[in-house]
């Protein structure tokens, strides 16, 4: 494997002045990411209510499927946004690409929040919602690659795992914020009010923070054109077999991560629609699970800086696979708060850790001149194919089989595929390369 890598293009290292900017830069990138994922994911939390507003049908299942399919429409344009904005980030810089993505998301979320219902404007309502979701997908497709590249490039070499882990952690923070808003609204509003306009309040709360996010993004320091300094970081040469191998394995792992993430995010709808628990418990399940996911994502990055990327990917993934079916069996049979909160929380804790290690491994493994575009494109295609279909597929499996264990089956298949790809990933942790160089140094 070592013969497929080169040190001809070492990554830049922050000097003393840059070090003072690291915390602010990570915070700025993360906050923007949180706002974008909150806006995108809130639709999933209120899929039932949005379905009733824009896709009325005599059959509740048909209405929900139409709503979830529109949720999936946001994934169709993700690859286009990834290619366009990812390429832009590799040419013009990470900051302008992230700012452009955020601006487009601002327009889309406002349109979605203020669109009248089907009863008011007829067929124009679902068409406007679909358009807003397509714009959201384009914007978010160009968000993840440049942001991940930025987080890796702005961090000191020994802290890259933790810095990059703010990417998956910020997604969990966004999901937690969405679940918290849903919990508060479900506790303070009647079912009729929640269905009629409560979901619009959730969207507008996200929209209210957009001006601050745009300002924050525009003030971030740029990392793409920073002068390079020697660093013990080994990367594959662009277009080399090693680079192509990393991208292929990365696609499989991201597909696995995507399915598991979106099936877990479906738990609010699952708890309401399949388990028939109360709305506060359903939103509380997502809130607890996502809060645990934040800590697990950061823990995974921190561990990856200390134990290398591979160990932190593989062993938690194996553990999560062994836990999945028993946890869902417990949830399906008991339908209790303890099973939903404790079981799903424990599964989220273990299952989130490996993907933080993967994020930094993938970013380190890609050459800098294609990092934004390649990461964004691979991520977007994995999300478009598997994320946009995850919730409709699970809904269909439950409807077809009549089994509440259908989500576990889908997660097991996805987790096993991800583990197989993780086992073939190269180790990219700088600490291992330092040890290798030391061992080869002349006495």
């Amino acid at each position: 494997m070592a013969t497929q890598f080169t040190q001809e293009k070492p990554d830049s290292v922050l000097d003393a002045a840059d070090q003072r900017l690291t915390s602010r830069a990570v915070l700025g990138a993360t906050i923007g990411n949180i706002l974008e994922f909150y806006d995108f994911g809130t639709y999933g939390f209120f899929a039932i209510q949005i379905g009733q507003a824009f896709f009325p049908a005599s059959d509740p299942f048909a209405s929900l499927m139409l709503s979830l399919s529109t949720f999936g429409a946001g994934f169709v344009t993700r690859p286009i946004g990834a290619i366009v904005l990812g390429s832009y980030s590799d040419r013009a810089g990470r900051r302008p690409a992230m700012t452009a993505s955020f601006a487009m998301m601002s327009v889309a979320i406002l349109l979605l929040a203020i669109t009248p219902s089907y009863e008011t404007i007829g067929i124009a309502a679902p068409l406007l919602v679909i358009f807003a979701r397509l714009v959201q997908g384009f914007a978010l497709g160009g968000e993840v690659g440049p942001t991940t590249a930025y987080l890796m490039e702005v961090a000191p070499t020994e802290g890259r795992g933790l810095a990059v882990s703010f990417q998956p952690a910020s997604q969990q923070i966004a999901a937690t914020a969405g679940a918290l808003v849903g919990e508060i609204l479900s506790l303070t509003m009647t079912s009729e009010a929640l269905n009629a306009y409560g979901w619009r309040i959730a969207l507008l709360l996200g929209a209210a923070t957009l001006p601050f996010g745009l300002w924050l993004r525009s003030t971030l320091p740029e990392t793409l054109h920073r002068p390079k300094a020697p660093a013990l970081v080994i990367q594959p040469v662009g277009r080399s077999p090693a680079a192509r191998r990393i991208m292929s394995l990365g696609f499989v792992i991201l597909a696995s991560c995507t399915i598991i993430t979106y099936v877990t995010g479906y738990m609010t709808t699952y708890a309401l629609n399949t388990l028939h628990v109360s709305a506060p418990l359903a939103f509380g399940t997502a809130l607890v699970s996502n809060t645990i996911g934040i800590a697990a994502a950061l823990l995974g990055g921190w561990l990856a800086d200390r134990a290398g990327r591979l160990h932190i990917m593989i062993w938690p993934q194996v553990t999560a696979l062994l836990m999945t079916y028993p946890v869902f069996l417990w949830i399906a049979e008991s339908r209790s708060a303890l099973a939903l909160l404790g079981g799903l929380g424990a599964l989220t804790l273990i299952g989130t850790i490996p993907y933080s290690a993967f994020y930094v491994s993938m970013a380190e493994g890609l050459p800098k001149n294609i990092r934004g575009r390649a990461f964004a494109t691979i991520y977007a295609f994995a999300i478009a194919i598997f994320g946009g279909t995850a919730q409709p597929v699970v809904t269909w499996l439950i409807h077809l089989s009549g089994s509440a264990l259908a989500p576990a089956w889908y997660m097991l298949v996805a987790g096993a595929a991800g583990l197989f790809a993780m086992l073939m990933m190269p180790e990219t942790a700088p600490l291992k390369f330092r040890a290798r160089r030391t061992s080869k140094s002349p006495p």
Side-chain angles (χ1 to χ4, degrees), residues 7-352:
Q7 295 186 69
E8 293 177 358
K9 296 181 179 181
D11 268 5
S12 57
V13 174
L14 299 179
D15 58 26
D18 289 331
Q19 289 280 5
R20 293 193 296 271
L21 298 175
T22 301
S23 297
R24 183 173 67 85
V26 171
L27 177 63
T30 300
I31 288 179
N33 217 36
I34 291 169
L35 296 179
E36 288 210 49
F37 273 94
Y38 171 86
D39 295 337
F40 191 85
T42 299
Y43 186 108
F45 283 117
F46 293 95
I48 294 174
Q49 291 81 8
I50 291 174
Q52 293 170 356
F54 297 115
F55 307 98
S58 57
D59 182 2
F61 171 72
S63 178
L64 177 59
M65 286 300 290
L66 286 170
S67 179
L68 290 175
S69 296
T70 302
F71 179 75
F75 296 89
V76 174
T77 49
R78 277 202 179 191
I80 303 173
I83 294 170
V84 174
L85 294 177
S87 299
Y88 182 53
S89 78
D90 288 332
R91 294 194 316 271
R94 316 303 186 197
R95 181 179 62 193
M98 291 191 294
T99 303
S101 169
F102 197 86
M104 284 184 284
M105 180 64 75
S106 304
V107 173
I109 191 64
L110 285 172
L111 177 61
L112 186 59
I114 65 175
T115 297
S117 67
Y118 183 90
E119 291 183 357
T120 304
I121 61 173
I123 192 64
L127 292 177
L128 285 171
V129 170
I130 292 171
F131 174 74
R133 291 297 293 175
L134 292 174
V135 174
Q136 281 186 319
F138 183 93
L140 204 54
E143 167 72 14
V144 174
T147 301
T148 304
Y150 183 84
L151 288 170
M152 198 209 86
E153 292 162 3
V154 80
T157 303
E158 67 277 5
R160 285 176 170 169
L162 181 59
V164 173
S165 71
F166 277 91
Q167 169 62 261
S170 67
Q171 297 180 32
Q172 293 284 355
I173 293 170
T176 303
L180 180 60
V181 169
E183 179 77 0
I184 293 172
L185 292 176
S186 68
L187 289 171
T188 58
M189 301 179 72
T190 64
S191 297
E192 292 76 15
L194 187 65
N195 292 339
Y197 60 86
W199 57 272
R200 293 185 189 272
I201 294 175
L203 292 174
L204 289 172
L205 285 174
T209 61
L210 294 175
F212 172 70
L214 284 171
W215 170 79
L216 199 58
R217 281 280 168 95
S218 66
T219 61
L220 292 177
E222 182 55 65
T223 62
L224 179 63
H225 305 300
R226 191 174 58 237
K228 296 179 179 179
L232 192 53
V233 178
I234 302 178
Q235 293 180 329
V237 181
R239 300 181 181 273
S240 71
R244 289 193 295 270
R245 178 170 179 261
I246 288 173
M247 287 187 280
S248 298
L249 294 173
F251 176 81
V252 176
I253 297 171
L254 283 170
S256 170
C257 175
T258 294
I259 290 172
I260 293 171
T261 297
Y262 280 90
V263 172
T264 303
Y266 179 72
M267 287 299 101
T268 300
T269 301
Y270 172 78
L272 288 170
N273 210 44
T274 302
L275 303 181
H276 304 292
V277 303
S278 66
L281 177 57
F283 282 109
T285 299
L287 178 60
V288 170
S289 175
N290 291 325
T291 302
I292 291 173
I294 297 169
L298 297 175
L299 176 62
W302 182 82
L303 290 172
D305 282 330
R306 283 149 182 80
R309 317 311 186 205
L310 283 180
H311 290 303
I312 306 306
M313 278 193 279
I314 292 169
W315 294 113
Q317 185 78 352
V318 171
T319 305
L321 278 172
L322 295 175
M323 290 174 60
T324 299
Y325 189 82
V327 166
F328 271 88
L329 183 62
W330 181 26
I331 290 172
E333 290 189 348
S334 71
R335 307 193 178 199
S336 66
L338 179 61
L340 280 166
L341 300 176
L344 194 62
L347 185 59
T348 301
L349 174 64
I350 303 300
T352 302

